[in-house]
Amino acid sequence: MTDHYDALETREPAKREAELFSRLPDILRKALAAPAYAGRLKGIHPAGVTSRAALAELPVLRKSELPALHKAAPPFGGFVAGPLGSFGRLFTSPGPIFEPEPVHADPWRGARALFAAGFRPGDVVLNTFSYHLTPGGFIFDASARALGCAVIPAGPGNTEQQFELIEAYRPVGYSGTPDFLKILLDAAASVGRDVSSIKRALVSGAAFPKSLQDEVKSRGIDAYQAFGTADLGLVAFETPAREGMIVNEDLIMEIVRPGTGDPVAPGDVGEIVVTSLDPQHPWIRLALGDLTAALPGASPCGRTNMRIKGWMGRADQTTKVKGMFVRPEQIAEIGKRHPELGRLRLVVTRSGESDLMTLKAETASPSEILHSELAASLRAVTKLGGNVELVGPGALPNDGKVIADKRT
């Protein structure tokens, strides 16, 4: 058995980029068959969208918009062209957001994530993600079966019955949240049940801090993390290199400045935006609301796709100041008015019984004129007055945060 799922994972990066963008125009044509995309992408010529620069000119679709869009034009907001019966399963997630499952093999792209975590054809996998209405259980179920594994569709909860299944089927693999894995291990230890067959795990859906990683490893389980969504399936995953996460194949990931569709500089923290090349249900620049940063270079595991640091927080930092919403998009607009500036951060505090805004801006050339112009832009864009603080280049942390609410 090789160290990689297939040859796609070890392609030359330039070849991967060329192949992805050679496929993108046809995916865009298929997307335009859906009325919502036809409206949002009106005037776009798919044949011309063959580079990251061209893709960055298209509007982003924010995941936070989907509940309202789905409610206005049920069930999929007009973003799906095919009839409901052309899909395999139909799900819902909190929002509500409605998700269809394409009918082709491994529709959620998870088989290679399981492979990277050490799962192999013929393994028995205990899948504890929920199978009820939401796609989580089916994402990992379909992925494991595409890899050639047998799946125990356990779902979460009911540890006593889980123990019976584990002792009967002796699964070598676990998929589920890291929290429930710890619950299983603790409960088994307390009542003397044998769960020692589980040797590897792919976890997602919750934080997996180092303390819990170390505890799981001390119990003989090699656990890896995956980052996914109910819309896209598995987006990125850990490999034996343990250096960030590898972006999945057949996805184009961009990292943009929160509140915009503008790509950040290499290494900067920004919002994840994904374009999927699934002809049955494409996503065009879906902004997930999650922050990350790209890692430089190739992974020691031999996989050559883009690497990210993993989940680094939420991009939606909208807050209310003096009764008015202030959004990341507004801070981005101020940045566009003053392109000579570096990073910007709006810090919201309390002064006495009043809200106070301070816009911190990186600049190599501070001046009273710039200070006054920036204060004017802050008022014009947010409709609120605030202080301005000019700081040196690199003074603001590279964490993707553009609004910091420090009110207690």
Side-chain angles (χ1 to χ4, degrees), residues 29-393:
R29 293 184 191 98
K30 288 180 167 60
L32 287 167
Y37 275 128
R40 294 177 75 92
L41 303 178
K42 188 175 182 180
I44 299 296
H45 300 291
V49 186
T50 56
S51 67
R52 287 186 178 269
L55 179 62
E57 294 296 319
L58 306 186
V60 297
L61 170 62
R62 302 202 172 280
K63 184 169 178 174
S64 58
E65 300 177 65
L66 293 182
L69 293 170
H70 285 192
K71 184 177 181 180
F76 302 127
F79 290 98
V80 175
L84 294 180
S86 67
F87 292 96
R89 294 185 178 92
L90 303 169
F91 300 107
T92 183
S93 291
I97 296 174
F98 298 101
E99 297 109 355
E101 180 185 73
V103 295
H104 54 74
D106 198 15
W108 306 101
R109 308 174 190 86
R112 65 181 70 249
L114 288 161
F115 188 94
F119 292 66
R120 293 294 183 267
D123 284 352
V124 176
V125 180
L126 180 77
N127 182 30
T128 67
F129 283 105
S130 174
Y131 283 81
H132 181 63
L133 296 180
T134 60
F138 290 94
I139 289 174
F140 286 83
D141 188 300
S143 299
R145 289 190 297 111
L147 181 57
C149 301
V151 179
I152 305 169
N158 198 344
T159 55
E160 181 63 31
Q161 192 169 21
Q162 300 263 2
F163 297 147
E164 292 179 6
L165 291 166
I166 294 169
E167 290 176 343
Y169 289 122
R170 308 303 292 162
V172 71
Y174 166 94
S175 55
T177 66
D179 310 65
F180 189 66
L181 178 57
K182 176 172 168 50
I183 288 171
L184 268 183
L185 296 175
D186 288 347
S190 68
V191 297
R193 302 301 291 263
D194 181 9
V195 296
S196 62
S197 65
I198 299 175
K199 299 299 183 185
R200 43 189 167 270
L202 184 64
V203 300
S204 191
F208 193 32
K210 189 175 186 307
S211 58
L212 183 52
Q213 293 176 36
D214 292 342
E215 181 175 349
V216 169
K217 188 172 183 63
S218 73
R219 300 193 190 192
I221 299 174
D222 198 16
Y224 291 79
Q225 300 180 75
F227 169 66
T229 74
D231 322 271
L232 294 158
L234 275 293
V235 175
F237 51 88
E238 273 192 308
T239 76
R242 303 287 188 178
E243 291 187 9
M245 292 184 174
I246 301 288
V247 174
N248 213 339
E249 301 293 333
D250 290 333
L251 299 176
I252 299 172
M253 180 184 288
E254 303 168 272
I255 302 175
V256 307
R257 188 175 299 109
T260 77
D262 303 328
V264 300
D268 277 5
V269 177
E271 182 178 7
I272 297 172
V273 171
V274 177
T275 296
S276 69
L277 303 185
D278 185 330
Q280 190 177 8
H281 182 31
W283 287 106
I284 308 301
R285 302 202 82 200
L286 180 66
L288 301 183
D290 296 298
L291 295 173
T292 196
L295 290 171
S299 172
C301 72
R303 293 171 177 83
T304 57
N305 207 349
M306 176 183 182
R307 294 188 301 160
I308 60 174
K309 288 185 177 180
W311 187 82
M312 299 178 67
R314 292 291 294 169
D316 186 6
Q317 301 153 29
T318 298
T319 190
K320 188 175 280 189
V321 181
K322 297 180 180 178
M324 294 181 64
F325 283 109
V326 180
R327 306 179 188 278
E329 300 95 296
Q330 294 173 304
I331 310 307
E333 172 59 28
I334 295 171
K336 289 180 179 179
R337 296 186 182 197
H338 301 273
E340 72 277 14
L341 297 176
R343 295 190 182 97
L344 300 176
R345 175 171 298 197
L346 186 73
V347 179
V348 184
T349 56
R350 293 282 287 176
S351 178
E353 296 302 318
S354 299
D355 294 333
L356 179 65
M357 296 195 313
T358 300
L359 181 64
K360 297 186 177 184
E362 292 182 350
T363 177
S365 305
S367 68
E368 287 298 323
I369 293 176
L370 176 59
H371 189 283
S372 298
E373 290 177 344
L374 204 50
S377 293
L378 178 62
R379 179 176 289 279
V381 173
T382 67
K383 313 304 180 189
L384 295 165
N387 299 326
V388 170
E389 182 181 336
L390 301 178
V391 300

